[in-house]
Amino acid sequence: MPKNQRSGAPKRARWTPDQKAAAKKGPKKAHRGQSAAGGSAASRPARDADRLARREFSRDDSRGDRRPTTDRGPRREFSRDERPARSFNRDDRPQRRDSRDERPARSFNRDDRPQRREFTRDDRPVRRFDRDDNRGPRREFSRDERPQRSTYSREDRTVTRFSNEDSRGPRRDAGRDDRPQRSFNRDDRPARTFNRDERPARSNDRDDRPARTFNRDDRPARSFDRDDNRGPRREFGSDRPQRSFNRDDRPARSFDRDDNRGPRREFGSDRPQRSFDRNDRPQRSFDRNDRPQRSFDRNDRPRFEDQVDPEAERMEADTWVKATRKSVDGPVDVAEDNGFAALGLSSRLVERLARDGITTPFPIQNATIPDAMAGKDVLGRGQTGSGKTLAFGLPALSRLDNGQKASPRRPRALVMVPTRELAMQVSDALEPLVHVLGLRHKLVAGGLSYTTQINALNRGVDLLIATPGRLKDLVEREAVILDAIEICILDEADHMADMGFMPEVTAILDQMPKGGQRMLFSATLDKGVDKLVDGYLTDPVTHSTDDAKASVTTMEHHVLLIDPMHKKTITAEVANRSGRTVVFVRTKLGADRVALQLREQGVFAAALHGGLNQGARNRVLGAFRDGSLPVLVATDVAARGIHVDDVSVVLQVDPPADHKDYLHRSGRTARAGDKGTVVTLALPHQRRTMERMAREAGIDAVPTKAVPGDERLAATGAVTPSGIPVPEDQVRRVLEGEKRGGRRPGGHGGPRGGGPRGGGPRGPRQGGNRSYGSDRGGQRGERSSYSR
DNA sequence: AAAAAAT
């Protein structure tokens, strides 16, 4: 059974037979080969040499020509010359003793047979694993008394000689003729006694044992040579999982009572006997006023994550970021002039939007929805915060709302996005709309449980929201079949058309029926996107609200020419402000490093990049969203689509790769009409690139020199940082959640294994986020490194 | 370079 089934698909996974078969033959041959080679540490020749040294070969070994001499007793020594000459005369052979006639007649009477001993499992003595039990005193060695064990190395051994006429000299024991002749006659041996009482008394007196020495110097030096002296490796129970240092690899925490916990806590016998008499119970009150007042404050609710293990939390990650929406309770009046009603959307959708105060479509929604409702292919270009999610989500859901139901494993609509965070954001934004129509949706992305995804697919999913990698994986496992996709939407298509993504994306698109509706949204239309458009869209209607130029006039752009030695300081100065700051860097390591450097300077920052596990990603982004983390240091994983309110500054510590990336990144600020500042640090050699990029992006920023303490920095609201490092426990508290009353049994789990946590992601958002339709178009980019 | 699947 391939490993991916054991760990990747947890025990409860309900696989269909097809899926099992698919998983078995699975697309993972490479891994198996890998583990076969990597798993058994020693190479075959090395192992054989080792075993040879220990004489472990036996007949059933594949190279069973060498048998051990162990177990046979000392080898009988012959002198060839002493043996009688062999006769080849048949008559000289001793009579065969077991001639048929001499044997007792065989009885075929069943009752004559010796009683067969019955083995029942229960008859067996319980096997003891207790060291102190049954084993007798431990054999004591004095290490020094042991003969030096010889190390076998093939090279060290002398050639075995089978000839007597060699130079070995006389045998060591030659002349010991006083020894009695050894008899090989079994009957000469003293009878073996089976009487326990005749054995010497066994001493269980610890004091009888030689004192153990604790003197380190008495011990022979420890060898670190693997092949040296160690004997076979200790066998661990096969249930012990290989230790992994990958956080995502950890086995799910078990809540099975019988599992691993050690003896159950003993409660004092003073616990009152439980009564099962109904009349003993206190009367239940049905008086509403007796109940505690229900609180509608989310913060009052018990923290769900406190009751949930980390794995379950990850499984639930698609429900993270539950925004507090300013929902209206009770019936909602849909105004006459409701813009969404005018677009022909179902009244339930319009009403649901109105409940959240969404009544006026954004331009891209106005432009796109009618065509999308008509089933046409759509090519949409939308800028930051333009509301693309609703632009494709509303018509897609409206069209799915036709009384049909999704068959198991056959979703009817698919939204593909390039990052997990974006997928979650889309899923969250569409969730209330999906539910109000009685449809089902599911998020399918990496880092989340396979089980919940597979189970949901088996139940039937109308709208699937996915990242390409996991979706392709599930397609290969036949956990999802794309032949019923009526509507397919590619969001952030320019990113999906990147070299690394393209093969997976096209592989998935190729699985879908030709005639379906396709919608493609992209900030720009370049070569890669053209390829997707040409290959997969039919007569698309193009709608663009603006082009890939900075059009947000509320955004200020600064390109600062700085000296490399000032980079760290200036970064901290710019990032340190009352509002939220997103800092972009080129690499994952750079993100970690810059975040650390900021914290060292007193600016609370945390890194977000694809190298973190999904739980950490959720916590960081959640903390940033809920305001407990003011500075987010991110790779371009956060450059697109991620919506967070009130980001006052985007700081590009490493310049973007191109003008599109510049616009994508800067699109994290100045959302929904807010003001925003984009600061890009440029080292001297990056100046010309930045000038060109600014021109292409359509911004008027002239690189100007800056030094720490520059007043232009202060003008953006920057505050000189305190220089006092952010305490580690604050970092932990915010990123790992509040510590609960100190229950963290020693020795359990890893650094975070069973720990409470959650914190950020489920907290309410600050500042009345409008999570609907908030994805933006924009640009992307980056290049050149933080350190020089 | 990053992202997207794991093992």
Side-chain angles (χ1 to χ4, degrees):
Chain A
M1 176 184 280
K3 285 180 180 162
N4 63 343
Q5 263 202 44
R6 272 207 303 274
S7 54
K11 327 92 213 166
R12 283 170 295 125
R14 282 180 280 273
W15 300 72
T16 68
D18 285 352
Q19 289 160 11
K20 276 185 191 155
K24 249 176 218 160
K25 57 184 183 241
K28 312 203 180 219
K29 296 185 187 90
H31 306 315
R32 280 198 256 163
Q34 214 178 328
S35 61
S40 56
S43 67
R44 168 94 195 207
R47 240 184 316 136
D48 283 358
D50 187 41
R51 294 178 62 189
L52 187 63
R54 287 187 267 117
R55 304 188 172 216
E56 268 187 9
F57 285 96
S58 65
R59 271 238 181 271
D60 55 14
D61 189 271
S62 55
R63 291 170 59 176
D65 47 344
R66 287 163 290 194
R67 299 203 57 189
T69 54
T70 44
D71 295 338
R72 290 196 240 166
R75 190 166 171 176
R76 185 175 160 191
E77 283 298 342
F78 293 100
S79 156
R80 281 182 177 255
D81 306 325
E82 284 167 23
R83 285 193 229 160
R86 179 173 174 186
S87 158
F88 287 88
N89 183 340
R90 281 178 170 261
D91 301 333
D92 282 346
R93 297 192 202 157
Q95 182 69 36
R96 212 175 136 177
R97 241 199 311 142
D98 57 353
S99 90
R100 282 182 171 262
D101 308 318
E102 285 172 33
R103 293 191 219 153
R106 177 172 173 187
S107 160
F108 285 90
N109 183 344
R110 282 181 167 258
D111 301 321
D112 283 349
R113 297 190 205 157
Q115 181 72 37
R116 183 171 167 190
R117 183 169 161 202
E118 278 296 329
F119 284 91
T120 315
R121 285 189 164 250
D122 303 330
D123 285 341
R124 297 188 213 152
V126 178
R127 186 169 165 195
R128 314 299 299 235
F129 291 92
D130 182 344
R131 289 203 153 244
D132 298 332
D133 196 55
N134 276 339
R135 297 201 199 179
R138 195 164 166 181
R139 184 174 159 196
E140 278 299 334
F141 294 99
S142 159
R143 283 183 176 254
D144 301 323
E145 283 166 24
R146 277 196 238 163
Q148 180 70 38
R149 182 171 170 185
S150 68
T151 305
Y152 284 89
S153 134
R154 278 178 174 256
E155 287 72 27
D156 289 349
R157 281 187 249 149
T158 51
V159 178
T160 309
R161 306 195 186 252
F162 294 98
S163 159
N164 275 337
E165 283 86 34
D166 62 16
S167 51
R168 285 192 245 169
R171 282 181 61 143
R172 240 197 315 154
D173 55 354
R176 289 186 165 212
D177 298 333
D178 49 345
R179 277 199 267 168
Q181 180 72 33
R182 177 173 174 189
S183 161
F184 288 93
N185 183 342
R186 283 181 166 257
D187 301 332
D188 284 350
R189 299 186 202 158
R192 179 171 169 193
T193 174
F194 288 91
N195 185 343
R196 282 178 171 261
D197 301 332
E198 283 174 21
R199 296 190 205 156
R202 177 174 164 184
S203 165
N204 287 304
D205 184 352
R206 285 185 165 255
D207 299 333
D208 279 351
R209 301 183 206 160
R212 177 173 170 190
T213 173
F214 289 92
N215 184 347
R216 283 181 168 258
D217 301 331
D218 287 350
R219 298 185 207 158
R222 179 174 170 191
S223 161
F224 287 91
D225 181 353
R226 288 208 152 239
D227 299 328
D228 192 41
N229 275 343
R230 295 207 195 179
R233 199 161 164 186
R234 177 177 160 200
E235 275 302 333
F236 293 104
S238 51
D239 50 347
R240 234 221 231 188
Q242 178 79 30
R243 179 168 174 195
S244 159
F245 289 90
N246 181 341
R247 280 176 172 237
D248 295 330
D249 280 342
R250 295 192 205 152
R253 178 173 167 195
S254 164
F255 284 84
D256 181 351
R257 299 209 142 234
D258 300 318
D259 197 40
N260 276 340
R261 296 205 194 181
R264 206 172 156 171
R265 177 178 160 197
E266 276 301 333
F267 290 96
S269 48
D270 50 350
R271 241 218 229 183
Q273 183 71 33
R274 176 173 171 188
S275 162
F276 288 91
D277 183 350
R278 286 186 161 252
N279 302 317
D280 281 348
R281 299 187 202 157
Q283 184 70 34
R284 175 173 170 189
S285 164
F286 287 91
D287 183 351
R288 283 183 164 255
N289 301 320
D290 282 350
R291 298 186 208 155
Q293 182 71 35
R294 178 174 170 190
S295 162
F296 286 89
D297 183 344
R298 282 188 164 252
N299 297 316
D300 283 347
R301 296 191 202 159
R303 296 170 57 117
F304 178 62
E305 58 269 30
D306 286 351
Q307 312 153 23
V308 157
D309 70 307
E311 177 65 12
E313 183 186 345
R314 291 193 333 139
M315 292 178 184
E316 296 299 328
D318 36 340
T319 62
W320 70 309
V321 171
K322 288 289 171 240
T324 341
R325 299 202 171 95
K326 288 177 288 185
S327 293
V328 180
D329 285 326
V332 182
D333 288 333
V334 175
E336 287 288 318
D337 60 347
N338 184 301
F340 288 101
L343 292 172
L345 299 168
S346 97
S347 60
R348 279 181 296 175
L349 288 178
V350 176
E351 191 184 302
R352 186 65 185 83
L353 292 168
R355 189 180 292 275
D356 288 344
I358 301 171
T359 54
T360 310
F362 285 179
I364 192 168
Q365 293 161 359
N366 269 325
T368 309
I369 290 175
D371 283 326
M373 290 288 285
K376 295 182 189 167
D377 282 5
V378 171
L379 178 53
R381 288 167 72 190
Q383 193 61 30
T384 296
S386 59
K388 283 186 295 176
T389 306
L390 287 189
F392 61 71
L394 289 171
L397 289 171
S398 272
R399 296 194 65 221
L400 291 175
D401 183 28
N402 58 2
Q404 293 178 22
K405 264 189 64 180
S407 311
R409 295 195 282 160
R410 290 184 156 78
R412 300 163 60 203
L414 170 67
V415 178
M416 257 201 292
V417 295
T419 69
R420 298 174 187 176
E421 278 73 16
L422 210 40
M424 292 178 191
Q425 196 170 285
V426 170
S427 176
D428 287 339
L430 297 182
E431 181 180 70
L433 303 169
V434 172
H435 287 164
V436 82
L437 297 180
L439 297 172
R440 288 186 284 196
H441 77 311
K442 185 64 187 174
L443 167 63
V444 157
L448 305 171
S449 158
Y450 277 92
T451 314
T452 56
Q453 294 176 4
I454 289 170
N455 289 347
L457 288 163
N458 284 337
R459 282 193 297 270
V461 169
D462 298 290
L463 175 65
L464 195 62
I465 297 144
T467 51
R470 176 62 66 88
L471 179 58
K472 181 159 171 272
D473 189 0
L474 292 177
V475 165
E476 283 164 358
R477 291 166 187 257
E478 293 175 40
V480 59
I481 300 164
L482 300 178
D483 62 6
I485 298 282
E486 303 159 27
I487 306 168
C488 174
I489 296 144
L490 285 186
D491 198 6
E492 300 295 336
D494 54 341
H495 195 188
M496 306 274 262
D498 275 1
M499 285 224 320
F501 267 127
M502 199 60 157
E504 284 177 341
V505 172
T506 54
I508 289 164
L509 289 170
D510 288 338
Q511 300 277 315
M512 304 188 308
K514 297 273 180 263
Q517 182 183 21
R518 311 271 167 86
M519 292 188 246
L520 191 149
F521 291 83
S522 176
T524 57
L525 297 181
D526 46 27
K527 283 149 278 165
V529 181
D530 283 348
K531 205 173 146 195
L532 286 176
V533 172
D534 292 347
Y536 298 96
L537 266 61
T538 316
D539 298 332
V541 188
T542 304
H543 292 289
S544 63
T545 51
D546 46 40
D547 55 20
K549 293 275 176 81
S551 55
V552 186
T553 52
T554 53
M555 208 185 278
E556 262 181 53
H557 298 267
H558 301 278
V559 176
L560 304 182
L561 274 177
I562 62 162
D563 185 303
M565 68 187 288
H566 294 144
K567 197 163 194 177
K568 200 168 112 176
T569 320
I570 292 180
T571 299
E573 285 182 3
V574 177
N576 197 44
R577 59 185 57 253
S578 51
R580 292 186 178 95
T581 310
V582 179
V583 177
F584 281 107
V585 295
R586 192 179 52 114
T587 67
K588 292 185 266 196
L589 284 176
D592 286 332
R593 183 181 57 232
V594 171
L596 182 64
Q597 287 172 350
L598 285 171
R599 291 198 298 266
E600 282 170 355
Q601 296 173 84
V603 183
F604 187 20
L608 178 73
H609 55 70
L612 304 174
N613 68 45
Q614 197 55 47
R617 283 167 71 162
N618 290 349
R619 284 193 299 279
V620 170
L621 191 52
F624 188 60
R625 280 194 161 117
D626 73 21
S628 54
L629 176 71
V631 178
L632 183 72
V633 185
T635 60
D636 279 333
V637 69
R640 307 160 162 265
I642 304 300
H643 174 87
V644 180
D645 278 342
D646 303 327
V647 173
S648 56
V649 166
V650 165
L651 168 60
Q652 309 192 71
V653 155
D654 296 325
D658 55 36
H659 72 282
K660 290 180 292 175
D661 282 351
Y662 183 99
L663 292 169
H664 273 300
R665 286 169 162 199
S666 55
R668 298 317 96 212
T669 186
R671 299 183 73 86
D674 289 346
K675 288 199 297 179
T677 304
V678 181
V679 177
T680 307
L681 305 186
L683 300 176
H685 71 276
Q686 295 162 337
R687 173 188 184 140
R688 299 191 59 188
T689 317
M690 278 310 303
E691 285 169 343
R692 179 174 46 77
M693 214 181 293
R695 199 167 53 244
E696 288 168 346
I699 61 169
D700 56 348
V702 179
T704 50
K705 291 195 175 174
V707 293
D710 200 298
E711 72 248 9
R712 276 169 306 163
L713 301 183
T716 68
V719 184
T720 304
S722 68
I724 303 164
V726 177
E728 271 304 306
D729 68 321
Q730 181 187 352
V731 179
R732 275 198 303 275
R733 196 171 60 246
V734 172
L735 298 184
E736 297 185 16
E738 231 61 46
K739 294 275 179 284
R740 263 180 312 179
R743 60 141 294 216
R744 259 172 105 97
H748 168 71
R752 296 181 311 126
R757 106 164 66 130
R762 289 188 180 86
R765 283 187 191 167
Q766 227 181 30
N769 271 349
R770 237 198 61 159
S771 76
Y772 275 124
S774 49
D775 80 297
R776 60 54 277 289
Q779 315 48 240
R780 61 171 287 180
E782 172 150 30
R783 84 102 81 95
S784 176
S785 82
Y786 180 65
S787 55
R788 102 192 43 110

